[in-house]
Amino acid sequence: MLLFLLACTEGGGKAGTCSVDLDADAAEATIDGAAWAADGATFTWAGSSLQLNTTGSDWLSIVAQTTTDGDTLQDAVDANAFPISVTLLEGADGGFATWYPESGSSLTTREAAGGTMEIASANADTVEACFSFEVGADGDTLTVADGALSAIPN
């Protein structure tokens, strides 16, 4: 019985490592070792996929299509299957992320090692998630680590 309590969260969900301690409409991460904070964070549902965008001079877009279990994001949210894990790489199997610097070309997980996102909660008012990944373009890479966001509807 003790093992079951340690492996599950209240309500029978899976145990997760994502803990978001941000106000709504906020995001932060470490970008190549330097602290970064967005001016805001929003989410949009596009069919059964979820798009998360930050705002600011440097911004981030994450598109989540399927979970690591192979379910659509919408099905996982409807089933209250939190935390929901998503592989961020190519997009077709999971999702992808793109970093848009203030100047220069965008960098994407499609051209680097990728990473993961864990959605801690999602409802009509807020999506909370944690993320870490590597993005790249033209041989250059950037590491996004210890990311967290609390997005509001777009």
Side-chain angles (χ1 to χ4, degrees):
M1 182 69 164
L2 181 58
L3 178 60
F4 175 76
L5 292 174
L6 292 174
C8 295
T9 59
E10 185 176 329
K14 300 175 283 187
T17 58
C18 179
S19 177
V20 178
D21 188 21
L22 296 171
D23 292 334
D25 195 24
E28 62 186 22
T30 302
I31 311 295
D32 274 350
W36 167 81
D39 294 340
T42 61
F43 72 90
T44 303
W45 284 99
S48 61
S49 297
L50 176 65
Q51 182 166 356
L52 302 162
N53 290 316
T54 66
T55 57
S57 57
D58 297 318
W59 61 282
L60 172 66
S61 179
I62 301 173
V63 176
Q65 297 164 316
T66 58
T67 70
T68 54
D69 294 332
D71 299 319
T72 69
L73 254 292
Q74 188 65 63
D75 287 346
V77 169
D78 289 348
N80 201 31
F82 300 104
I84 299 169
S85 295
V86 178
T87 299
L88 301 174
L89 189 58
E90 292 290 331
D93 293 322
F96 61 94
T98 306
W99 175 259
Y100 297 91
E102 185 173 16
S103 61
S105 299
S106 62
L107 297 97
T108 178
T109 55
R110 295 176 179 191
E111 295 186 33
T116 59
M117 176 174 65
E118 184 176 285
I119 301 171
S121 65
N123 57 48
D125 300 319
T126 310
V127 172
E128 293 187 337
C130 300
F131 51 89
S132 290
F133 50 82
E134 181 181 87
V135 290
D138 301 323
D140 293 326
T141 61
L142 186 112
T143 300
V144 178
D146 303 320
L149 62 76
S150 181
I152 60 172
N154 186 16

